[in-house]
Amino acid sequence: MRILIVEDDAVLRDGLKVGLAISGFTADAVESCEEANAVLKNHAFDALVLDLMLPDGSGLDVLKSMRERRDDTPVLLLTARDGVADRIAGLDTGADDYLGKPFDLDEVAARLRALVRRAGGRSRTVLEWRHLRLDPSAQLVERGGEPVRLSRREYSILHVLMAHPGRVLSKRQIEEKLYGWQEEVESNAVEVHIHHLRSKLGPGLIETVRGIGYRLGEEA
Amino acid sequence: MRILIVEDDAVLRDGLKVGLAISGFTADAVESCEEANAVLKNHAFDALVLDLMLPDGSGLDVLKSMRERRDDTPVLLLTARDGVADRIAGLDTGADDYLGKPFDLDEVAARLRALVRRAGGRSRTVLEWRHLRLDPSAQLVERGGEPVRLSRREYSILHVLMAHPGRVLSKRQIEEKLYGWQEEVESNAVEVHIHHLRSKLGPGLIETVRGIGYRLGEEA
DNA sequence: ATCAGGCTTAAGGCAGACTTAAGGATGGCA
DNA sequence: TGCCATCCTTAAGTCTGCCTTAAGCCTGAT
């Protein structure tokens, strides 16, 4: 899950980035409206954490221009402690949620999970497919009731696949969900993780579509 | 816009009902889990405002049983002022949003608008013809409900044909869809792929128009 | 009957995927 | 701080399935 943080305060920004990473997200960060606009035009994120007060303008303007170009990426606004007016304005501009400062990192993560889930048209957090269960809030995977130990990368890949069961995802798409800008990968890492996933989950689950990518297959 | 309010406190309940009515919603109200469950099974609402603390149980249980029966109606939770744990649990159970008490009526309305807007609209572009189904997002082809394994080229050819059922496409046109500029082909590759397609999909589907090209035939 | 276009089949090459292993990074723990 | 376990990336080698090519056969049209 790829998140963009727009926040000028360095302490908050880094805190968010690390906190979200612990919760299993991949977070990139920028610190101004201008940067945010530039980046958003070229990259897709699963969600946005957007501060309202930025050095070169209001986060609302970023939000507004996103919505004007039909970018429906879910947005979580960060507002002042009691800015009710801001919040209402934000929601009506097209924000999906807000959080007053100071905030709890776990709560940010939970709200992001809810946003992403809702954007995907799902109402349940727990993903299920065949005899697999994946619980994002606990970062837990079960296979037929038995817990399976997955590393972070393995978990992330399975998460992406289970979010779109049946759909083919290219290695490129998977990489984009796993890696931020500073950590682009130049190898067959995804293939290797897929290999490990298969050996842990059993065969017949993750199908290869040659030349295209991977998907969770329809049947045994 | 039809809203169901689940709230045991009479003052709050009536306040919400009136407030939402002013904002243009039509609100119904019940005051217990039991009533809520009964009503929800028989009526569809555009959204739900759900208190967590109810006389006969937790709103979370109402929420959970809704989601279990695949009721995806958007839910706005009402929680205690600082019940962070409740909120996280709520979101992860499948709530779409929450609001801490005390709340601002305008804000409730704004959040409901946002929820309902989010819940609407999503579509897919699946091609269908006779008993064939081709789903571009899944790169998946079904024949009478049974998935068919096609290679990349085969899939591409079928895709082009199904995009224009009944229309005759020349080998030249098909090649143009399959190959980039650098990789022109000097052989009967298309014929070979058509052959494989016919053997996988069964006869009578892809017609040859001698000297012209191929098409999906009109009838059996 | 002839011929051009289409069909069928098989083989070879190759790109993409799999497997395995090693080395480095990271984080926990003493 | 230093050690250990775990995980991640890289890279090299192997494997596999797809695609193209080509050759010969079939079929419909003239």
Side-chain angles (χ1 to χ4, degrees):
Chain A
M1 287 296 154
R2 194 81 180 270
I3 309 290
L4 181 67
I5 299 166
V6 187
E7 168 63 62
D8 58 323
D9 181 314
V11 176
L12 266 183
R13 195 171 60 236
D14 293 342
L16 277 168
K17 201 164 171 180
V18 172
L20 291 182
I22 291 173
S23 295
F25 294 96
T26 301
D28 297 304
V30 297
E31 37 192 302
S32 68
C33 292
E34 194 188 341
E35 285 179 280
N37 282 323
V39 166
L40 284 167
K41 279 175 189 152
N42 298 311
H43 292 274
F45 293 88
D46 293 296
L48 211 67
V49 177
L50 181 60
D51 192 2
L52 272 185
M53 300 273 285
L54 292 166
D56 58 342
S58 164
L60 277 188
D61 296 327
V62 175
L63 176 57
K64 194 187 277 181
S65 66
M66 282 175 68
R67 297 313 186 212
E68 274 169 3
R69 63 176 178 268
R70 297 291 161 88
D71 182 342
D72 287 338
T73 307
V75 170
L76 173 60
L77 282 186
L78 300 181
T79 71
R81 176 191 290 277
D82 47 5
V84 172
D86 277 350
R87 294 171 183 185
I88 295 178
L91 290 171
D92 279 335
T93 303
D96 300 275
D97 203 347
Y98 67 75
L99 214 46
K101 298 178 188 177
F103 44 75
D104 178 300
L105 274 175
D106 286 336
E107 190 175 355
V108 176
R111 307 215 116 218
L112 284 175
R113 281 194 295 272
L115 287 185
V116 171
R117 158 170 39 91
R118 211 192 299 153
R122 282 172 280 122
S123 54
R124 293 165 50 98
T125 298
V126 175
L127 299 174
E128 302 196 18
W129 180 82
R130 302 264 288 277
H131 55 288
L132 291 183
R133 260 175 67 90
L134 183 148
D135 183 347
S137 62
Q139 297 197 56
L140 207 72
V141 173
E142 289 180 1
R143 173 190 172 215
E146 288 298 304
V148 182
R149 277 182 56 97
L150 296 184
S151 75
R152 194 162 66 93
R153 298 298 197 205
E154 289 158 8
Y155 169 86
S156 298
I157 290 180
L158 185 61
H159 190 178
V160 182
L161 288 173
M162 285 184 71
H164 309 281
R167 169 113 170 255
V168 179
L169 297 172
S170 69
K171 276 181 278 209
R172 192 82 203 88
Q173 288 177 301
I174 293 174
E175 280 169 9
E176 277 172 8
K177 298 285 183 186
L178 297 199
Y179 305 99
W181 298 312
Q182 273 80 27
E183 36 173 5
E184 296 293 313
V185 82
E186 280 296 296
S187 77
N188 61 344
V190 171
E191 287 173 21
V192 175
H193 293 308
I194 290 274
H195 175 60
H196 291 145
L197 268 177
R198 282 175 171 154
S199 65
K200 288 183 181 180
L201 300 176
L205 292 173
I206 302 175
E207 284 182 7
T208 302
V209 182
R210 207 184 165 80
I212 312 280
Y214 300 95
R215 76 160 156 232
L216 295 184
E218 292 290 302
E219 54 196 83
Chain B
M1 286 295 164
R2 192 80 180 275
I3 309 292
L4 180 65
I5 298 164
V6 187
E7 169 61 64
D8 59 322
D9 181 312
V11 176
L12 266 184
R13 192 171 62 239
D14 293 343
L16 276 170
K17 200 164 170 175
V18 172
L20 291 182
I22 290 172
S23 296
F25 294 96
T26 305
D28 298 306
V30 297
E31 39 192 299
S32 69
C33 291
E34 194 188 339
E35 285 179 281
N37 281 324
V39 169
L40 283 168
K41 278 174 190 153
N42 297 313
H43 294 275
F45 295 87
D46 293 296
L48 209 67
V49 177
L50 181 61
D51 192 3
L52 270 185
M53 300 274 283
L54 293 166
D56 59 343
S58 164
L60 278 189
D61 296 329
V62 175
L63 176 56
K64 194 186 280 182
S65 66
M66 282 175 69
R67 297 313 187 211
E68 274 167 7
R69 64 173 180 270
R70 297 293 156 90
D71 181 341
D72 288 339
T73 308
V75 169
L76 174 61
L77 281 187
L78 301 181
T79 71
R81 176 193 289 276
D82 49 5
V84 172
D86 277 350
R87 294 173 183 184
I88 295 177
L91 290 172
D92 280 334
T93 302
D96 299 277
D97 206 346
Y98 68 76
L99 215 46
K101 299 177 187 175
F103 43 75
D104 180 296
L105 276 176
D106 285 336
E107 192 176 352
V108 175
R111 306 212 122 222
L112 284 175
R113 280 195 296 274
L115 285 188
V116 172
R117 162 161 46 82
R118 269 271 153 199
R122 38 190 25 262
S123 66
R124 303 215 299 170
T125 55
V126 177
L127 298 176
E128 304 201 14
W129 180 81
R130 300 265 287 278
H131 56 289
L132 290 184
R133 263 174 62 90
L134 185 148
D135 183 344
S137 71
Q139 302 261 338
L140 196 75
V141 173
E142 289 181 0
R143 174 190 171 214
E146 287 298 303
V148 182
R149 283 182 57 97
L150 297 183
S151 76
R152 196 156 58 96
R153 299 294 198 209
E154 290 158 8
Y155 171 87
S156 299
I157 291 181
L158 185 60
H159 192 174
V160 183
L161 289 173
M162 285 184 71
H164 308 283
R167 167 135 161 238
V168 180
L169 296 171
S170 70
K171 276 182 278 208
R172 191 82 203 89
Q173 287 176 302
I174 293 174
E175 279 169 10
E176 278 171 9
K177 298 284 182 185
L178 297 202
Y179 304 100
W181 299 298
Q182 271 80 30
E183 38 171 3
E184 297 294 313
V185 83
E186 285 290 301
S187 78
N188 61 343
V190 171
E191 288 173 19
V192 175
H193 293 309
I194 291 276
H195 174 60
H196 290 146
L197 266 178
R198 282 173 170 156
S199 66
K200 288 182 181 179
L201 300 176
L205 292 173
I206 302 175
E207 287 181 2
T208 302
V209 182
R210 205 184 164 78
I212 312 284
Y214 301 94
R215 74 161 164 218
L216 294 184
E218 290 296 302
E219 52 198 272

